[in-house]
Amino acid sequence: MTACAIEPSAGHEDGDDAAPAGCTLSADGQYGARLASAGDAWYPERWTLDGPEPYAVPLPRNQPEEPGTEVQPMGDGRVLIHRRVAGRHAFSLLYPTGPGTGELPLGAVECPDDGARLRLLPPAPGGEKAYALAVGPRSTSVWLVAGGAFGPEKVAELPGRGSGGVWLDRAGRLLALDRETGGRTKAVVVDLERGGEVSPLLQIAADSDDRLLLADHDSGLLIVRSDAPSPGHGRLGWGVLGSTLPVRFPECLRLRDCSLTPFAIQPGQVLTPESCAVALRVDGPAGSWVGVWRPAERRMHHLPAPPGWLTGTGLWTADGVLRLPYATAAVPCGVARVRPPAPALPEAGTAASRPGPETGTAPPSPPHDPEPATPLPDPGSTHPLPDPTSATPLPGPGPATPRHGPAPAAPLPARGSTTPLPDPTSGTPLPDPWSPRPDPWPSRPDPASAPRPGPGSAAPLPEAPDERPAPPPAPAVARPVPLQEAPLGRLVTN
């Protein structure tokens, strides 16, 4: 057991007002874990999602779990469980053993005050380690609770109250936290391999609260929540890690009487963050549903959630299919595959294709009405034909329209007519029938007789002039900096 003095925390974590997700997915999306219920009893349940059909494995112990117990899948299929027992935070690994459940205790973190708060961070990339965040009123600690050599150990400590938690790399080294100091919350980066070295990440405005919600490793897309454009009211925005462009706050991500919580970004869109699809949980008076938004599209699609959706849980495939896990009485373990509408990208040169102001761009104007199509004749209608007995003459053929091509041949003389021969007394000499005639097909030069360049010299071949019109120049597209090469702390706007 490892003991630590965690200072009590007052209040809840800022920015964590949304209800917790119904299931936790591993970083690679192969496993999921949740706390299921059988009547009034709660027990851990592991979901396997990488096969052709998902299936669930219950992992009950001798006694039911408390409702607030946390579970998290590991990369090898075991489930990490976090229990609160007699003022201590205990951690164990659960795994199926035939008809029963095996448990491997990892240790505990002792908290002398009942007001201390310790929670699991999102699953780390790789699935071999798991971390927890211990928050106090004046300091925050990061604990390695699974994957260490000697049980839970503290790996970083930083001043201020921390919240959130987003992994910025695939190695599980750079962790972004939202730190509150001096009455303001700013996202910072904690380097776990350098003793918890802290560097700033988001500095949108001096007096704004800037939080990081999601980050994509391939494109560098960041989803943030900040009150910089509207003080006192947090708004969703997006930026690119390492880019010098300001953070944008689209108007389409503002819904009246609804709260938006992003939970998944489409992977595999290297260097194209504008084309990444972002899935959002929308909570409103009518319930919860799914929203899909792309930065380039500047609109949000609203999709119905499947019955029994584990609210706030899902992941994207690289080809743009959203997988939403759900559980019903008929299907206790299912995954709905949803393909949102294809992105409607604006045409080049239109107003919608040009970047708008920092606080969001107005929705693009509706497209122009298409030209009316020419109506086809009614198959049942009849058209009167001209009366051949009427006195109105039919229109004759018009003058022939000249066409491009060889000139028409001279008309042949009529049969029986004679062609006069030239007068021998005239001054016009007769052509000699034995004189050579010019060749209508001039011969090409013999390649063998052409002079060849000497050694060491190169004779350029003649090229025919290209009479095709030059294609229009392609519009220049700014290439964002990938996450792996982006210097931290450069996402500074204003």
Side-chain angles (χ1 to χ4, degrees), residues 208-260:
S208 63
D209 294 329
D210 310 323
R211 297 179 174 88
L212 179 63
L213 305 182
L214 286 180
D216 180 58
H217 300 158
D218 296 326
S219 62
L221 177 64
L222 303 180
I223 305 299
V224 305
R225 189 188 300 275
S226 174
D227 62 350
S230 54
H233 302 279
R235 291 180 53 180
L236 290 180
W238 69 280
V240 181
L241 189 64
S243 174
T244 58
L245 297 177
V247 177
R248 297 176 177 86
F249 298 89
E251 291 290 337
C252 63
L253 296 183
R254 301 181 67 184
L255 300 180
R256 173 179 289 184
D257 299 332
C258 294
S259 62
L260 303 179

Side-chain angles (χ1 to χ4, degrees), residues 54-429:
Y55 64 92
V57 177
L59 299 173
R61 292 298 292 163
N62 300 329
Q63 60 183 7
E65 306 291 345
E66 295 294 330
T69 302
E70 289 184 297
V71 291
Q72 184 176 119
M74 303 296 290
D76 56 3
R78 295 181 293 180
V79 174
L80 174 68
I81 185 169
H82 168 215
R83 302 184 181 100
R84 182 76 181 269
V85 180
R88 298 183 305 165
H89 295 268
F91 301 91
S92 299
L93 289 176
L94 304 179
Y95 53 92
T97 58
T101 301
E103 182 172 354
L104 176 63
L106 299 176
V109 177
E110 186 175 355
C111 302
D113 198 305
D114 293 339
R117 183 175 70 251
L118 187 146
R119 64 175 178 86
L120 292 177
L121 286 169
E128 299 179 356
K129 299 180 180 180
Y131 295 86
L133 192 69
V135 184
R138 292 181 294 272
S139 64
T140 301
S141 302
V142 180
W143 287 78
L144 175 64
V145 296
F150 306 102
E153 58 177 313
K154 185 192 298 185
V155 294
E157 185 174 4
L158 59 155
R161 299 175 61 242
S163 60
V166 177
W167 296 100
L168 297 180
D169 63 340
R170 298 185 184 278
R173 171 183 173 180
L174 303 178
L175 174 65
L177 295 175
D178 303 328
R179 183 179 64 172
E180 179 186 353
T181 55
R184 292 299 175 187
T185 301
K186 301 290 183 181
V188 297
V189 179
V190 181
D191 193 335
L192 300 181
E193 291 188 1
R194 291 188 176 182
E197 179 180 335
V198 180
S199 58
L201 178 63
L202 285 178
Q203 296 284 346
I204 299 179
D207 56 349
S208 63
D209 294 329
D210 310 323
R211 297 179 174 88
L212 179 63
L213 305 182
L214 286 180
D216 180 58
H217 300 158
D218 296 326
S219 62
L221 177 64
L222 303 180
I223 305 299
V224 305
R225 189 188 300 275
S226 174
D227 62 350
S230 54
H233 302 279
R235 291 180 53 180
L236 290 180
W238 69 280
V240 181
L241 189 64
S243 174
T244 58
L245 297 177
V247 177
R248 297 176 177 86
F249 298 89
E251 291 290 337
C252 63
L253 296 183
R254 301 181 67 184
L255 300 180
R256 173 179 289 184
D257 299 332
C258 294
S259 62
L260 303 179
T261 306
F263 61 87
I265 300 179
Q266 179 183 359
Q269 310 301 308
V270 181
L271 299 180
T272 56
E274 295 85 359
S275 62
C276 291
V278 181
L280 303 99
R281 166 184 172 178
V282 185
D283 297 304
S288 299
W289 63 93
V290 180
V292 175
W293 165 78
R294 298 177 181 89
E297 200 172 7
R298 299 180 181 177
R299 60 170 298 185
M300 186 165 60
H301 302 278
H302 297 270
L303 308 175
W309 178 40
L310 304 182
T311 311
T313 306
L315 71 156
W316 289 96
T317 62
D319 56 351
V321 176
L322 181 60
R323 304 179 65 192
L324 301 174
Y326 66 94
T328 61
V331 183
C333 178
V335 175
R337 293 169 174 83
V338 180
R339 184 179 291 275
L345 298 178
E347 298 180 359
T350 60
S353 65
R354 293 189 293 268
E358 179 183 349
T359 58
T361 304
S365 58
H368 300 287
D369 296 335
E371 297 182 0
T374 304
L376 297 177
D378 187 2
S381 62
T382 58
H383 299 273
L385 297 177
D387 186 4
T389 60
S390 62
T392 305
L394 295 177
T401 303
R403 297 182 179 179
H404 298 284
L412 297 177
R415 179 174 295 182
S417 63
T418 60
T419 302
L421 296 176
D423 186 6
T425 60
S426 63
T428 304

